[in-house]
Amino acid sequence: MKDVYIVGAALHPVGRHYGKNIDDMAAEVLEKAIGDAGVDVDAVLVASSTAELAERQQLLGSYILESLGLNKTPAFRVENGDGSGGAAISMAYGLLKSEEYNCVAVVGVDKPNDVLSNQQQDIYAAVVDTYFERYFGVTPLSQAALMAKMYLKKYEYRYEDLAQWALLMHNNGVGNPYAYLRRQVKLEDAVNSELVSEPLRLYDIGPLADGAAAAVLCNNRKDGPRLLSVSASTNSTPFNAREDYDVLYSLRDASQLAFKKAKITPRDIATAEVHDSFSILGVLAVEGLGMAQKGGALAAVKDGALPVNLSGGLKSRGNVLGATGVYQLVEVAWQLLGREFKRVDGSYGVIHSMGGVDRFSTVAVVAL
Amino acid sequence: MKHESVPIYWRNIPQYYRLVAKRCKKCGATYFPPVVRCRCGSLELENVELPREGKLVEFTVLYQVGTDFLKQKPLIIGIVELANGVRVTGQIIDAQPNKLTPGTKVETVFRRVVVDGKHGLVMYGYKFRPVE
Ligand SMILES: [Zn+2]
């Protein structure tokens, strides 16, 4: 089977983009990525979590291609909540491995700022079980908070230890020209920020933001970083019936398979982008990828040596929902190349894209 | 949130009113929310009403809530383990957070969950409250 390479990419700055429609933003990055690759694409995969909910738009792919004057190219919409980006990458990889297509573009887009902030909570909460969780007021935030509370108790950390995650993310985000919140923060800012679902505070949440990212993947060109493996897993156990609350099962299963297929170990990772929609999930993702032992991620963060979320993660780059996974893929590719980011020391990068609180994960291994 | 569909609420009434779960006739595993196929592979599942007494596993006080719950915030969201070991996530009410700990005894109660002023819809369901 042919190998898959990332031959072109583009990112839209993350932020509040009141002046652009969802299809405009997606078309903008898609056009740039195709131009960057210098190829024609055979198919387009569109990752979006909230197009129907925030924009009341379906058939997004057709409207994105209309903006570019492209006709007849098949466009497919992929929705797996905030893990849509990773899901679309997984689908694109499969299409290219099967050689059904030679060049496929993946474009991720979401515009949560087109609705009011408390409506954003309703929309984001659509990733939890509508009938048995959302109906009673349960949200992803409250689930992450329960996991954080149990994790801090079990491994005897204080809240101040968890707040280090936000500090690291902001520190990293300063170097990302596409990040939403590009500033350093102090521990006291995080510790004194508004309590949102105890023990989690405002600084433990990746702010929802508008964004679009695109990558062109080909199996007939060898320029650019190579996608060594992509694996995905669903965790269908309901939150109330989870065995452990300090393990991301969907990530664990996807990463074991992805590492095995790529023939690398966690020690080979030079850069990882993980889905820290809430700080605790980033912490658990670091452990799930094997970059720290169980209960050891916060200690490792404090040591400052973890090459995780050099983009700033969802905390600083912003949580661009279904577009996040595509951002992560481009960020890792560019970190390996030293393009628009500082070049990382090593040849392997990993992305972890997740839908909901451990409901679905994609893990992709990228090599230079 | 918009509540435009009465059938969605109506068909969940057995679960919302009486905590009706599914139990596998073959291996005894019990599922809440209900499922159609047991993890052991069996399709023979029966309805079973869950016990009303249980204990708190963990809880959080949630201040950032959706539009349905703005008037009720903060919500206490907890995981409750019922007497037969089945766990349910839901609201803990009539409680002071500083007096709640894992292990606190709770019981299931029936309460109003959502009042949709626009459509005149009042929807009910289970919640949990501490017992002395
Ligand atoms: Zn069974």
Side-chain angles (χ1 to χ4, degrees):
Chain A
M1 278 193 287
K2 288 181 178 173
D3 292 328
V4 176
Y5 290 84
I6 305 163
V7 306
L11 298 179
H12 193 291
V14 178
R16 293 169 182 263
H17 300 295
Y18 297 118
K20 292 178 183 177
N21 290 338
I22 187 167
D23 49 327
D24 295 337
M25 277 182 65
E28 201 178 310
V29 288
L30 184 56
E31 168 68 19
K32 276 188 195 159
I34 292 172
D36 186 37
V39 296
D40 292 323
V41 297
D42 308 321
V44 175
L45 296 185
V46 182
S48 182
S49 179
T50 65
E52 290 84 359
L53 298 167
E55 316 288 328
R56 298 244 159 189
Q57 182 67 66
Q58 292 190 326
L59 272 169
L60 192 52
S62 174
Y63 295 102
I64 293 167
L65 295 186
E66 178 187 316
S67 288
L68 297 179
L70 281 174
N71 202 9
K72 295 190 171 54
T73 306
F76 305 93
R77 163 73 187 286
V78 180
E79 184 279 303
N80 265 26
D82 41 343
S84 299
I89 291 162
S90 187
M91 300 305 297
Y93 184 76
L95 290 169
L96 292 166
K97 277 301 208 185
S98 74
E99 297 180 38
E100 183 67 25
Y101 300 114
N102 295 125
C103 284
V104 170
V106 180
V107 55
V109 66
D110 262 311
K111 293 205 74 221
N113 283 309
D114 279 0
V115 299
L116 302 172
S117 63
N118 55 27
Q119 292 172 326
Q120 281 182 5
Q121 298 307 313
D122 292 340
I123 286 175
Y124 194 18
V127 299
V128 303
D129 186 318
T130 291
Y131 311 115
F132 294 95
E133 293 175 337
R134 190 159 59 109
Y135 176 73
F136 293 100
V138 175
T139 61
L141 166 64
S142 61
Q143 294 181 336
L146 285 160
M147 293 172 92
K149 200 164 175 179
M150 288 187 256
Y151 180 90
L152 294 178
K153 274 187 196 169
K154 182 169 175 180
Y155 295 107
E156 299 179 348
Y157 285 113
R158 297 176 309 146
Y159 175 73
E160 285 73 8
D161 300 316
L162 183 61
Q164 295 291 339
W165 182 267
L167 268 61
L168 178 67
M169 292 304 112
H170 276 279
N171 213 10
N172 288 345
V174 172
N176 177 2
Y178 299 94
Y180 181 32
L181 306 175
R182 292 165 60 190
R183 57 185 162 79
Q184 281 173 314
V185 299
K186 294 193 189 90
L187 181 65
E188 65 203 58
D189 298 331
V191 170
N192 295 325
S193 67
E194 183 190 341
L195 200 56
V196 287
S197 189
E198 58 91 26
L200 299 182
R201 294 178 175 275
L202 197 59
Y203 274 57
D204 294 296
I205 304 185
L208 299 186
D210 306 341
V216 176
L217 311 177
C218 296
N219 61 18
N220 58 357
R221 291 259 307 265
K222 289 190 183 299
D223 38 345
R226 187 176 146 201
L227 255 178
L228 278 188
S229 67
V230 183
S231 294
S233 181
T234 295
N235 175 22
S236 67
T237 304
F239 191 80
N240 55 293
R242 293 178 70 89
E243 196 169 323
D244 282 312
Y245 288 86
D246 59 346
V247 175
L248 299 179
Y249 293 100
S250 61
L251 163 63
R252 183 192 67 182
D253 297 345
S255 71
Q256 281 173 358
L257 200 54
F259 284 143
K260 194 177 157 201
K261 284 187 191 165
K263 298 190 180 72
I264 69 156
T265 72
R267 252 174 287 174
D268 298 320
I269 301 173
T271 176
E273 290 291 331
V274 303
H275 191 88
D276 60 329
S277 43
F278 305 100
S279 58
I280 183 66
L281 301 181
V283 170
L284 296 180
V286 164
E287 295 178 8
L289 285 175
M291 297 174 77
Q293 61 185 33
K294 257 181 97 177
L298 285 179
V301 165
K302 215 166 184 179
D303 292 344
L306 272 182
V308 62
N309 289 1
L310 302 177
S311 69
L314 279 68
K315 179 70 192 76
S316 167
R317 175 230 297 118
N319 182 353
V320 275
L321 294 167
T324 307
V326 187
Y327 272 88
Q328 292 173 321
L329 183 71
V330 177
E331 286 156 358
V332 162
W334 286 357
Q335 289 157 18
L336 290 170
L337 290 168
R339 174 180 163 184
E340 311 204 25
F341 287 87
K342 193 173 156 224
R343 163 105 170 79
V344 295
D345 191 18
S347 308
Y348 299 98
V350 171
I351 77 156
H352 163 233
S353 171
M354 186 162 70
V357 177
D358 189 22
R359 273 277 165 177
F360 170 82
S361 283
T362 302
V363 172
V365 179
V366 183
L368 195 60
Chain B
M1 209 194 305
K2 285 189 179 127
H3 302 281
E4 287 156 348
S5 171
V6 175
I8 287 178
Y9 173 63
W10 165 79
R11 69 172 171 256
N12 284 309
I13 280 178
Q15 283 82 39
Y16 289 167
Y17 282 39
R18 284 180 282 110
L19 278 171
V20 175
K22 285 281 184 195
R23 183 168 60 199
C24 175
K25 285 184 177 179
K26 207 172 158 193
C27 75
T30 307
Y31 295 89
F32 192 86
V35 298
V36 294
R37 181 179 176 273
C38 180
R39 293 228 165 142
C40 80
S42 171
L43 289 165
E44 281 186 60
L45 294 124
E46 59 187 350
N47 284 334
V48 53
E49 198 167 326
L50 295 176
R52 306 187 77 80
E53 299 75 37
K55 61 179 202 265
L56 195 57
V57 176
E58 193 51 274
F59 72 99
T60 178
V61 185
L62 174 66
Y63 297 91
Q64 199 179 78
V65 297
T67 49
D68 279 341
F69 301 98
L70 288 170
K71 284 181 187 163
Q72 301 171 48
K73 77 173 180 179
L75 299 177
I76 305 175
I77 302 291
I79 304 167
V80 168
E81 188 170 309
L82 298 168
N84 64 348
V86 172
R87 281 179 279 156
V88 179
T89 309
Q91 288 184 26
I92 314 296
I93 54 157
D94 302 337
Q96 289 174 286
N98 58 3
K99 288 189 178 161
L100 289 175
T101 58
T104 298
K105 283 185 179 167
V106 298
E107 63 178 0
T108 312
V109 289
F110 182 65
R111 287 286 188 277
R112 217 160 37 186
V113 179
V114 180
V115 180
D116 184 334
K118 198 175 162 200
H119 294 85
L121 211 58
V122 181
M123 298 188 284
Y124 296 86
Y126 54 82
K127 296 186 182 181
F128 304 94
R129 78 168 172 211
V131 286
E132 290 304 312

